[in-house]
Each structure stands twice: as structure tokens, then as C-alpha cells.
Amino acid sequence: VSAADSSQFSPVTQEKVTAYEVGAKLPLFDRKLQFNTAVYYYDYINKQTRGRVRDRVFGQLERLVNIPKSRIWGFEGEMVARPVDGLRLSLAGSYTNTKIKEFVTINTLGEDTDFAGTSLPFTPKWSSVGDAEYTAPINSSLDGFIGGSYTYHGSTKSVFDDLPFYRIKPYTLFDARFGIANEAQKWKASAWVRNLTNKYYYDSIFFFIDTGFRQPGRPRTFGLTFEIGY
């Protein structure tokens, strides 16, 4: 929290969670395919999250607050495949359902509001990530590799209110990489590009005094990485 008053750093109650989870890890086809899955339910008491409080000078200020009762349930799955030598494919996805059971606080207009039955901020229902990489020997000591990945974030919101202004739209990002590696000496050099399509997106929206802000993510970014002892 970017504080304007010391009260924004006041401590809150420690949260408690009762967690239930069941899942499976399944190696298939002589471990060329690994499939993992899980279903979970989290029951929270005094969950900590960013909220708003009234201030006599600034009107509304952000600070850490407690939600008396809330719950999260969902499921996730992951698949890792090595169909041929040198090729690794992975895909993972999840569904998350959140609900506030008990919570009265001020909304973005400064009005006391009962948010029971609404969802938690910054919790998209759907998300997924995928990756592919192919590695092949260049000579007796060096391997070359090339790969790419994608990340998908579903729609969500940045506040407890369901106002359209605070909706964070879904977005998908693509990355790419290539390089060389020496397995014996444990070093790797790679070149990469993130947000390959230069997607414009924002992952946070907030309102301060009389101005609304949307924080965009990084544009297309290039770089070089050298790793030792990876």
C-alpha cells in the first residue's frame, strides 16, 4: 500500500484457513506422459486482503483489511508429455470459484455495503499456461534449444464492487526463447522475448481521490540470460 497516513499500516487479525484437497498424480506410457489433477476447498476466517477505510482528510484510503468469512473452491490439472527425445510439452489450467460469506465495508463511493455473496478481487475463474521446448545436440558438448509458452488470465475485478470500470479484461501472452547449454559444465545462454505480440493489457485498476488509474503490463520485451549451475 502506498500510504498517505500511518493508519494504513495498522495491523490486522491473523487469517485462518481450513483446507481440503484431493488429487492424483498419474505417470503413463512408461512416464512419457505425466498427468496431475486436484480438487480443493478452502474455508477462510479473517482472510486478509486489500480494502478501503474512511479518512477525514483524504476521504478513502487503501489498507489491509479482514474479511470475516469467505471460501474458495476449484480444480486444476497439469499434463507433461515427452513424446520423442528432446521434446517436452506441458499444459496446465485451473478453475477458481470465490465467495464472500460475511463482510460489510465501504464501497468505492464511500457507502457502507454488505458484500456477502460477491467474489474476491484479483481472482479470475479461468487461467492456463502452456509450454513447449525442443532440445537437440549441436556437437559433443553443446545442446541447442528452442521453445515458446503462453499464459492466459481470465477476466476479474480489482475491487469488491461489480462496477464495469474496475473490470480487468482477459488476456493471453506469448513468449519465445532459444539458446545453447552445456549439461556437463552446467551453464546455459539464451535469448528471449516476452509478450511476443506486444499485447496491451492491464492487471490492476484503482481510484484515488478523483482519478481512476489502470496499470498496464509490460510491452514486448527482449533480453539475454546466462546461467551457471542451473
Side-chain angles (χ1 to χ4, degrees):
V1 173
S2 179
D5 187 273
S6 61
S7 65
Q8 291 178 262
F9 294 137
S10 298
V12 294
T13 303
Q14 177 64 49
E15 70 180 25
K16 297 180 181 180
V17 60
T18 302
Y20 307 89
E21 183 171 349
V22 60
K25 295 185 176 182
L26 307 174
L28 304 171
F29 307 112
D30 196 25
R31 298 187 180 274
K32 289 185 177 180
L33 178 65
Q34 176 75 38
F35 182 72
N36 306 322
T37 184
V39 179
Y40 55 87
Y41 182 95
Y42 300 152
D43 190 16
Y44 283 94
I45 302 295
N46 290 320
K47 180 173 176 60
Q48 297 177 2
T49 187
R50 180 178 289 193
R52 293 169 176 265
V53 294
R54 288 191 180 96
D55 184 86
R56 287 178 295 181
V57 177
F58 298 99
Q60 294 188 48
L61 293 177
E62 288 191 331
R63 60 163 288 182
L64 202 62
V65 298
N66 287 116
I67 300 175
K69 294 182 180 180
S70 60
R71 63 99 174 123
I72 298 174
W73 70 266
F75 55 85
E76 57 190 12
E78 178 189 27
M79 182 182 66
V80 180
R82 301 177 186 273
V84 296
D85 288 344
L87 179 62
R88 182 182 185 275
L89 306 173
S90 66
L91 180 66
S94 66
Y95 172 82
T96 304
N97 186 293
T98 69
K99 184 179 180 180
I100 296 172
K101 295 181 178 180
E102 179 185 323
F103 187 42
V104 177
T105 188
I106 58 173
N107 61 17
T108 55
L109 301 177
E111 303 165 336
D112 288 327
T113 304
D114 186 354
F115 285 103
T118 62
S119 60
L120 292 168
F122 296 108
T123 53
K125 285 189 174 183
W126 295 100
S127 62
S128 67
V129 59
D131 188 87
E133 182 171 294
Y134 181 70
T135 302
I138 298 175
N139 54 40
S140 59
S141 61
L142 287 179
D143 292 332
F145 63 88
I146 185 170
S149 63
Y150 86 91
T151 304
Y152 170 77
H153 288 265
S155 63
T156 184
K157 59 183 181 179
S158 63
V159 296
F160 298 108
D161 306 57
D162 284 321
L163 299 175
F165 176 78
Y166 295 98
R167 280 285 170 186
I168 299 175
K169 297 179 180 179
Y171 58 88
T172 303
L173 304 178
F174 296 92
D175 302 337
R177 62 190 181 275
F178 67 91
I180 55 175
N182 184 305
E183 291 290 339
Q185 298 180 16
K186 293 296 182 182
W187 63 262
K188 179 190 294 185
S190 59
W192 47 263
V193 55
R194 294 170 184 156
N195 193 0
L196 183 64
T197 61
N198 203 28
K199 172 74 174 179
Y200 177 80
Y201 67 101
Y202 45 88
D203 52 20
S204 182
I205 305 172
F206 60 95
F207 198 89
F208 183 69
I209 303 179
D210 61 352
T211 306
F213 299 86
R214 286 176 175 163
Q215 294 181 330
R218 286 190 176 186
R220 184 188 296 121
T221 307
F222 301 88
L224 301 172
T225 300
F226 184 74
E227 303 172 67
I228 298 177
Y230 66 92

